[in-house]
Amino acid sequence: MEKTDGVVVEDVYVPSARRLERERHRRARTRRATAVAALSTLATAAVLYLVVTNSPGWPRTRETFFSAEYARDALPEVIDGLWLNLRLLVVCGAAVLVIGMLLAVARTLRGPVFFPLRALAAAYTDFFRGLPLIICLLLVVFGVPALRLAGVTTDPVLLGGAALTLTYSAYVAEVFRAGIESVHPSQRAAARSLGLSNGQALRFVVLPQAVRRVVPPLLNDLVSLQKDTGLVSIAGAVDAVYAAQIIASKEFNYTPYVVAGLVFVALTIPMTRFTDWVTARMDRRRAQGGTT
Amino acid sequence: MRPATRPRRRTTSPAQFATFAALTVTAVAAVTGCAPQPESPVAAPGASASCAPGKLSTEVPGKLTIGTDKPAYAPWFEDDDPANGKGFESAVAHAVAKKLGYGKDEVVWQTVPFNTAFAPGEKKFDFDINQISISDSRKKAVSFSSGYYDVRQAVIALKSSKAAKVTTLAGLKDVKLGAQVGSTSLDVVNDVIRPGQRPAVFQKNDFAKTALKNGQVEAIVLDLPTAFYITSAEVPEAKIVGQLENTGGAGEQFGLVLDKDSGLTSCVTGAVDALRADGTLAGLEKRWLSEAADAPVLK
């Protein structure tokens, strides 16, 4: 409210001419940028399309890799096999998180009395991170039944899951350890000075921060595990990729592989988006000055 | 507080745009203007390709390039060396080469994994010999010679298992079966035996043998010569339970694989037919593959 010449003028905001001009200019620039981006994208797509479709082998490639008829035949089989991948992913994923966390905690324990535990955990992670997964699978899936131990399963899926868990626990343990070591020592010191025991400091102060920091790399390992579940097919179990291979080698057509690949990508994309969302949320919280 | 100077927004200058446009145009021109690569020589329809000995238009001029997978298994090959002429398929390949006018030193062997034998694109071999069964759907992707071997499927199991006592096809229904991927044995399991539980499918017969020894599968279905070889030489604690009747009209045959519409197809087929007619194939079978007569037929 303001008095000028005895008239009461409503104090309404009116953008100045200069401001309007500036906004107009900005909008124009944005429009132009969008148009240029769209145009260059279209041009690139056109070039790629022409390169592929004008290549001399395109008709045969289309018939071999993108045949609708074979895709229709393969899809139900691939989806059927995918059920095995998903079950393995859930069970192994849960086991890997638990074992990985235990290994990471064992490696970061302080005090000379825990030396054997630390050494064992370190030896385990070194060995299983270095051992190629396919060799680990072969040894477990065909080696364990050869021992003829009473009461030990010979089911290739269970054994394959065990081999996956062995290898991936080592990866995930290192991720957790990186998280634990990234928490500043002052946090632990502050917790101890408040009267928390070593265990309590780890449980209530260090681990929550550590886990939150390593969520993105953890999900990365989970996506990787999802794709590697197919390797248990070495022992005869039929997963999505193997179902595709069976059809492909029977019919001499590669379309089922393309179908299986797309199915896996379709599974991975939601997971990736979820990872991005988690990361963004964490960044927002940190920016608001919350605890990291 | 806002900073006094704001960073300039990045925009595309006309010069940049012109460059990009020029590049695009060049690329399109290059693509549409590039000469198609010559496809493999295709025999003109009607004109019979010249099968003059040693004068074929092969992958490597003057040589015959033959593909097979590695490891090369007995009894089809011996000592994992296809070039030595030992084993049924090695002997057949060399006999075909000889018919086409290529002596032993003019034959080059290439390692071709089963899955790449039917890949489109340029082939690195003139023909591939790898116990590949002829089928109509496969003919859409490759060309086959005429068949050089009539295949029969057989079932093997450990002597100590209950699967070894099966005498009928129906008896195999509740047995855990295994077979190799890409083999017609797998089709036999799925279409003829139709077991109650899903069969195990193996990348290589080696894995199938290990799984059989471990008891992870109770029986394996494979072609009869391999079954004989495995039970006599590799897994003596296993036996042939029986052989399956050859279903279908002409029965199942192994054929040589050539590139789709390869100009050599008619020559190679002619060579295989000649070897069948003069009794060479039968002689090689007798020499390298065991007599299949004593395996009982499961009905």
Side-chain angles (χ1 to χ4, degrees), chain A residues 26 29 32 36 39-40 51 60 70 80 141-142 145-146 148 154 235-236 242 245 249-252 254, chain B residues 6 11-12 17 20 31 114-115 118-119 137-138 140-141 181-182 187 198 200-203 213-214 216 259:
Chain A
R26 245 183 235 156
R29 296 305 281 180
R32 184 165 177 271
V36 169
L39 201 66
S40 72
V51 168
R60 258 189 83 183
Y70 284 118
D80 207 24
V141 167
F142 289 122
R148 304 212 175 282
T154 58
Y242 208 32
Q245 191 191 334
S249 46
K250 178 182 172 182
E251 310 285 357
F252 281 15
Y254 289 102
Chain B
R6 315 193 48 193
T11 55
T12 316
F17 193 78
F20 181 82
V31 168
F114 175 80
N115 272 324
F118 54 92
S137 58
R138 289 176 171 187
K140 290 185 206 157
V181 65
D187 301 341
R198 273 196 111 150
V201 189
F202 297 99
Q203 291 279 4
K213 281 192 213 166
N214 286 340
Q216 289 162 302
D259 195 3

Side-chain angles (χ1 to χ4, degrees), chain B:
Chain B
M1 287 300 292
R2 285 216 180 128
T5 55
R6 315 193 48 193
R8 273 198 51 210
R9 301 252 333 258
R10 291 248 302 244
T11 55
T12 316
S13 69
Q16 278 176 319
F17 193 78
T19 317
F20 181 82
L23 279 175
T24 312
V25 170
T26 327
V28 174
V31 168
T32 46
C34 80
Q37 295 168 349
E39 285 267 312
S40 54
V42 174
S48 66
S50 151
C51 297
K55 294 279 184 293
L56 305 175
S57 56
T58 52
E59 198 61 40
V60 181
K63 303 259 185 211
L64 190 66
T65 315
I66 308 178
T68 191
D69 205 347
K70 192 168 182 69
Y73 291 106
W76 311 103
F77 297 95
E78 293 213 340
D79 313 322
D80 193 15
D81 174 19
N84 60 14
K86 293 180 182 160
F88 178 70
E89 289 198 331
S90 178
V92 167
H94 281 289
V96 169
K98 200 166 155 200
K99 270 269 182 275
L100 295 172
Y102 294 88
K104 209 163 175 172
D105 7 319
E106 288 153 330
V107 172
V108 184
W109 285 87
Q110 272 276 2
T111 300
V112 178
F114 175 80
N115 272 324
T116 57
F118 54 92
E122 215 177 322
K123 299 281 193 290
K124 293 273 174 284
F125 53 81
D126 294 314
F127 66 78
D128 187 72
I129 183 163
N130 195 10
Q131 304 121 64
I132 298 179
S133 301
I134 302 171
S135 81
D136 285 342
S137 58
R138 289 176 171 187
K139 279 182 185 166
K140 290 185 206 157
V142 295
S143 290
F144 283 101
S145 71
S146 53
Y148 59 89
Y149 180 71
D150 299 291
V151 194
R152 312 211 55 169
Q153 299 290 338
V155 183
I156 65 173
L158 294 183
K159 289 172 185 165
S160 55
S161 70
K162 65 176 190 344
K165 298 175 185 57
V166 169
T167 52
T168 59
L169 271 184
L172 290 170
K173 276 208 192 303
D174 45 14
V175 170
K176 176 77 178 169
L177 293 165
Q180 196 185 359
V181 65
S183 68
T184 37
S185 318
L186 184 59
D187 301 341
V188 165
V189 172
N190 287 327
D191 305 339
V192 180
I193 301 176
R194 297 206 185 91
Q197 42 187 333
R198 273 196 111 150
V201 189
F202 297 99
Q203 291 279 4
K204 300 224 177 273
N205 271 335
D206 287 355
F207 293 151
K209 281 183 298 206
T210 312
L212 183 71
K213 281 192 213 166
N214 286 340
Q216 289 162 302
V217 291
E218 292 169 284
I220 312 178
V221 181
L222 28 65
D223 60 79
L224 197 54
T226 308
F228 263 106
Y229 184 80
I230 287 179
T231 50
S232 60
E234 293 177 321
V235 190
E237 62 269 38
K239 64 171 261 203
I240 295 187
V241 179
Q243 56 179 326
L244 298 158
E245 280 194 295
N246 208 336
T247 46
E252 186 194 336
Q253 290 190 318
F254 288 158
L256 305 171
V257 171
L258 297 98
D259 195 3
K260 179 84 179 142
D261 302 326
S262 158
L264 301 176
T265 311
S266 56
C267 303
V268 173
T269 292
V272 172
D273 289 342
L275 292 171
R276 186 178 286 279
D278 67 11
T280 311
L281 285 181
L284 292 176
E285 254 178 68
K286 226 184 207 53
R287 176 157 180 215
W288 296 109
L289 304 177
S290 310
E291 280 298 322
D294 52 352
V297 175
L298 302 170
K299 289 195 173 158

